[in-house]
Structure formats: structure tokens, C-alpha cells
Amino acid sequence: MSRIKIPTRDEAPAAAKPTLDAVNAQLGRVPNFFRAIATSPAVLAAHGAMGHALGKALDVKTRERIALAVAAVNGCEYCNAAHSYTGYNFAHLSPEEIALARAGKAGEPKAAAAVAFAKKVAETRGKVDDADIEAVRAAGFDDARIVEIVAVVAENFFTNLINNVVRTDVDFPTIEAPLQAA
């Protein structure tokens, strides 16, 4: 059970309602996370601005893979469920790709380098080695894309922290990877 009262759309502050309405129009509902941060219109606006800007950085599959890896590092059940759902339904990641991303891996070499680097950034809180930077560069990421990977990690840290503190009730269906042969 959530540790803060998650408002309905009608209970949310007036300044948050247009954003909640936009989320509803896009997703057909307003997930608990958005209603939780709507308790502070400033936080809701900050999240929206960062998400909008980073939505133009990297491709959607890479962003979803990073979100899954960071959620795993931070033990964020809500974000794991949410990004499994959005990764599957919007980025068209297979259940196998979702499972790989949770482990900081990917089947494609360039994607694998990005998600491995993102996982390392999350685990070390940014204190990566020179070799980590060189590995992501060798996979084809320039300095701007490296900074974008770090920013997507930070964006997901933010949502992980909110959801872990609030204990946001998970309102996304589970996407499970198929059982692996031993």
C-alpha cells in the first residue's frame, strides 16, 4: 500500500489537472505514479519537462532498456512493471529483450553497450572507469549520446526514488520472460 495518499484526478491540485488529462489522453488512464507526483505540480512539471526533452534523445528501445536496467539496480518494482509494459507495448521489446535489459544486457551489440554502460552508471552512481567510457564510444556513441545515456539514467533514478519512497501501488500488468532452458 502506498505511503502517501495518491489523489484521484479530481482531488489533484488544479495546476496538475491539465497534465493528468494529457496523460489520460495518451494512455487511456492515469497510472498511479503520475497521480502520486501530481500532489506537487512542480514535480509533475519537472518530470514532464525532462521526459519531453529526453524523448528526443536516443531511440525508444534504448530508453526503455535503460529504464529497465536502472529499475533493477534500484529494486523499483513499480518502474520494472511500468517499463516492462511500455517496453513491450510501445518500444516493441520482446519478453526476452525485457529480461536481458533488466540484467543490463541486450541482444544487439550497440544496444548492449548502451544498457551495460547505463547499468554501470547506476551501480557506481556515475563513478565509471575510463574503460567504461571507451567501451560505449567503441560501440558508436559520441559524447552527446553518452551524456544522454547518463541523463536517461538520472531520469529513471528520479522515478525509482519516488516510487520506492512512496511504495506506489503497481498498476501495470506483469510482463514475464519465457522460462529459459537449463
Side-chain angles (χ1 to χ4, degrees):
M1 174 176 275
S2 295
R3 293 196 263 193
I4 68 164
K5 182 178 180 347
I6 296 181
T8 65
R9 185 250 181 231
D10 292 337
E11 294 168 337
K17 289 177 182 177
T19 301
L20 295 178
D21 291 343
V23 169
N24 187 52
Q26 183 180 22
L27 300 177
R29 67 187 185 90
V30 182
N32 286 340
F33 168 74
F34 289 97
R35 292 188 301 114
I37 64 172
T39 60
S40 169
V43 172
L44 182 63
H47 177 267
M50 189 168 202
H52 178 74
L54 292 177
K56 298 172 185 165
L58 306 169
D59 62 272
V60 68
K61 286 186 176 195
T62 300
R63 291 192 317 272
E64 289 297 328
R65 284 178 172 122
I66 291 169
L68 287 159
V70 174
V73 167
N74 290 322
C76 184
E77 181 183 343
Y78 189 91
C79 292
N80 178 51
H83 288 287
S84 294
Y85 179 84
T86 57
Y88 182 78
N89 288 290
F90 299 114
H92 307 292
L93 296 174
S94 69
E96 294 84 2
E97 291 172 301
I98 289 168
L100 284 171
R102 288 175 183 153
K105 300 176 183 178
E108 305 158 20
K110 188 169 183 176
V115 76
F117 179 69
K119 181 178 185 232
K120 185 78 178 262
V121 169
E123 290 172 335
T124 65
R125 308 304 189 256
K127 296 183 183 207
V128 298
D129 297 325
D130 291 346
D132 299 315
I133 298 286
E134 290 311 314
V136 76
R137 272 195 187 121
F141 291 93
D142 62 17
D143 290 348
R145 301 300 85 76
I146 292 169
V147 170
E148 289 170 359
I149 291 168
V150 174
V152 172
V153 170
E155 174 189 28
N156 284 282
F157 247 85
F158 167 76
T159 61
N160 292 176
L161 290 173
I162 294 284
N163 287 306
N164 283 342
V165 167
V166 171
R167 286 192 192 146
T168 310
D169 293 326
V170 176
D171 55 350
F172 285 92
T174 302
I175 305 288
E176 292 295 337
L179 294 174
Q180 301 293 319

